[in-house]
Structures are given as C-alpha cells and as structure tokens.
Amino acid sequence: MTQPVFVYSDDLLNYKFSNNHPFNPLRLKLTYELLKTSGILSDDQIVKPRKATDEEIALVHSEEYIHAVKQAGEGTLPETQAANYGLGTEDTPIFSNMHDSSAWLAGATLTAVENVFEGNAKQALSLGGGLHHGFRGKASGFCIYNDSSIAIEYMKQKYNARVLYIDTDAHHGDGVQWAFYDDPNVCTFSIHETGRYLFPGTGNVSEKGAGRGYGLSFNIPVDAFTEDDSWIPILEKAIDEIARFFKPDVIISQNGVDAHYWDPLTHLSVTMKSYKKIPQLVKNAAHKHAEGRWIAVGGGGYDIWRVVPRAWSLIWAEMNGIDLKGPLPKEWLVKWQSRSPVDLAKKWEDSEDLYTPIPRKQEICDKNQLMLTRALQHIRNEQRSV
Ligand SMILES: [Zn+2]
C-alpha cells in the first residue's frame, strides 16, 4: 500500500495580501510544524509542489484575466480595469507578484492530482489550495486562481475522470459549482452557512445544476449557530448518498475550517469533533466508491492559531490512519505561544464547554434536516423508481 503524499514547500507562503488581511499563509507553516513535532509527517511523505503553467490556469480562467493578474502583480494594471477583474478590492487587494504566488498554489493542487493518478499515492493533501471563490474572469473572496476547478478540469481532460467535489467550508463553494454547473462528469456538493447573511450569498438548496449537469450540484445551506450534533449527521448522510449515486473515479475535498465556533468571519458553532469526523467520512466514501482515490485541499480558516493547525492536521492523521488525541506537542506550543495573540489550545479536542448552549438548538436541527431532505430529494426519488 502506497503512503499518502503531503504537498508542501515555502513557495506556498507568498500568497499574502497584507499583514492585516485575514487570509494568512502562516497557517500552512503552523500546520506543517505541528505535524512535524507530532511525529506523524516524515520527510519521505513530503512532495514539493510545482508552479502551474499559464496553459493549465487557462483550463478554467480566461487569458484576459490571467494577463490582468500578471499586470496587477507588476503594478501596471490601471485601477479602472482592476475592478472589472475583482482585483484591488477590500477582500482581494493587489499584491506584488500575485500571479506567481497564485500559480504556485494551483500547481500544488495539480501536484497532488498527479501523485494520485500516476500511482505514487492513493491520497494526497494540498493545504495551500481550496480557493473556491475564484471565477473564470474574476477574483473573489480572497481567491485569485481556483486551484480546485483547475485540478478538476485537468483530471477530466488528462485522466478522463469523473470527479466528486465535496466542500465543507463555511462559505458556499460558488466558483467550483458554477464552473461545472452543466457538466455531467463533475458533481459538486457544498454544505455551508446560509447565504442570507454570509458571503457569497449563493448556495441555495434549489441550485441543482443545469442541462446535462442537472441533478449533480448539491447544496445544503445550514442555519447560523449550527452545532456538531446537526452538522455531522447531515454530512454523513449527504456524503454517503451522493457518492453512491454519482460513482466518482476520485473525490476532491475542500477543507475550509471556518465553520468552527472560534472563527471570526462566520456564525456557526462547529468544533474539533466535526473536523475529526469530516476526513473520516470522505475517506470512507473514497474507499467505497472511488478505489480510495482522495485529494484534499485547504480553504478558509481565520482563527489561524487555535483552529486551523489542529483541524488540518486531523486530515493528514486520517489519511495515515492515526488517531490524534490528548495534549498537543509541548515543543510546538512553546515555540508559537509567544507569537500568538490568543492562548493556544492545548489539546487536539475542544473542551465540552467551549460555548454556552443556545435555546434554539432543536429548531436549527429541524431546519437543517429539511434542507438535507430537499437537497437529496431527486436522487432519493430516482432510487425509489428503479
Ligand atoms: Zn470560507
């Protein structure tokens, strides 16, 4: 059995908008070091990424947009034009060499794909990826090039693969959904906080795909304050039924961890319990339906000290069949506590009293359950009729 691959190098740390922007690449390094000091990431499992070529980026993005991103990174894109491409906004400001840094992230996810399809590994993790809001001709929500969309198109063209995309970020995976909305060989599933009060506002349960792709786009918008007790059983049902229905050749999972209670940008109440469970569910589905082929990418996550390193480490642990529990390594805590503005979490698990219980719990569970039913309705009907 081949061992999983961890795609990483310092080249991935240059995707940085500014010092006070919430999207902070330091979280990659924090995770890498946490895995190293935990003793569960060995040098022979690490693969250095490559940079995506312009042709590869153009599998999804327009040449005009790629050119604009290059110009922006060199400081030569006129301000009046930048807005047309979603560049230079508060969310997605222009930074030096932004094309190169973005191409490295896309290349990292392609490196993960190649390792899986060329037979070096069944599973690969590219935590620099997961930029699910990137559109064909427009940057959006901290995302410039959509590495997952590029990887999916690449897998389709080069390996003739049917791809299931599973997105558990707190925000709707809009960029990937719309890129493959009418594609019969790509199925997208996103669970996220309802778009009523949260960016990007889409991801309604009624968005089910179009044309030959109708019925292959799944959305479960959940209520604010949703907890593990609702999030986990819904995911368990959805992932199992969708994978069984679509029968993919490979699963690519986007692992934004901004649904955590501590995340400053969203309003959900998920804890480390969910972040331990999600990779288990995806891995099981990959084994049952895709001969074990699973590519995992990162995504959102804005409590970079207490949440992201622990949650992302759990994906790698699951790929390796390791159960992480109890205290975090002392060496890591000592090194990073002095730089962290908050008290670091000391254990892999969150404490049971992380937050004060809310009275509306049952109502939220019921509403979420209804969304699950509506999202899966058409495949359940189909199964009943055969
Ligand atoms: Zn997000």
Side-chain angles (χ1 to χ4, degrees), residues 141-166:
F142 317 160
C143 303
I144 298 164
Y145 296 141
N146 194 321
D147 60 288
S148 301
S149 289
I150 294 168
I152 292 169
E153 191 57 37
Y154 187 80
M155 286 188 271
K156 272 176 57 195
Q157 293 192 15
K158 191 164 178 189
Y159 304 110
N160 199 25
R162 272 167 72 77
V163 186
L164 170 59
Y165 171 79
I166 297 174

Side-chain angles (χ1 to χ4, degrees), residues 132-133 169-171 258 300 302:
H132 61 169
H133 300 305
D169 193 283
H171 301 91
D258 44 7
Y302 307 99

